[in-house]
Amino acid sequence: RIDSISLAIESEDADAKSLFDKDLSLFPLKSDDIFVHSVYEKGKNDLLQRVVQEGFMQAYYRQHQVIVDLSRY
């Protein structure tokens, strides 16, 4: 299960963070969900497409990672 999830928009554009608050809240995985890699990848792709559609053509994921605690797996 997902212990925690952290998503953030970083931009020099002060309005960008608030513009995408709803999109971040709609990310398909939440804490305590069972991690499904295909859902994670689709969520990332959907979010990036949304950001690009709003004109942030050079948007990219600076960091994305999944950490598995094998002792709890």
Side-chain angles (χ1 to χ4, degrees):
R1 294 204 178 262
I2 297 173
D3 184 50
S4 65
I5 188 164
S6 175
L7 303 167
I9 299 286
E10 295 180 4
S11 175
E12 294 178 8
D13 183 339
D15 295 328
K17 291 180 97 171
S18 61
L19 180 64
F20 300 110
D21 280 346
K22 181 178 179 184
D23 299 282
L24 292 174
S25 71
L26 295 175
F27 194 79
L29 293 173
K30 308 282 187 240
S31 292
D32 206 40
D33 285 352
I34 294 173
F35 181 80
V36 178
H37 192 264
S38 60
V39 174
Y40 168 72
E41 288 297 331
K42 183 176 183 333
K44 285 190 339 181
N45 290 334
D46 290 351
L47 182 57
L48 187 58
Q49 284 180 356
R50 168 82 171 102
V51 171
V52 169
Q53 286 173 351
E54 287 295 326
F56 295 88
M57 305 306 284
Q58 296 181 13
Y60 66 96
Y61 285 101
R62 185 174 59 86
Q63 179 180 6
H64 51 100
Q65 67 181 7
V66 174
I67 300 171
V68 178
D69 182 350
L70 293 176
S71 67
R72 294 178 54 192
Y73 181 67

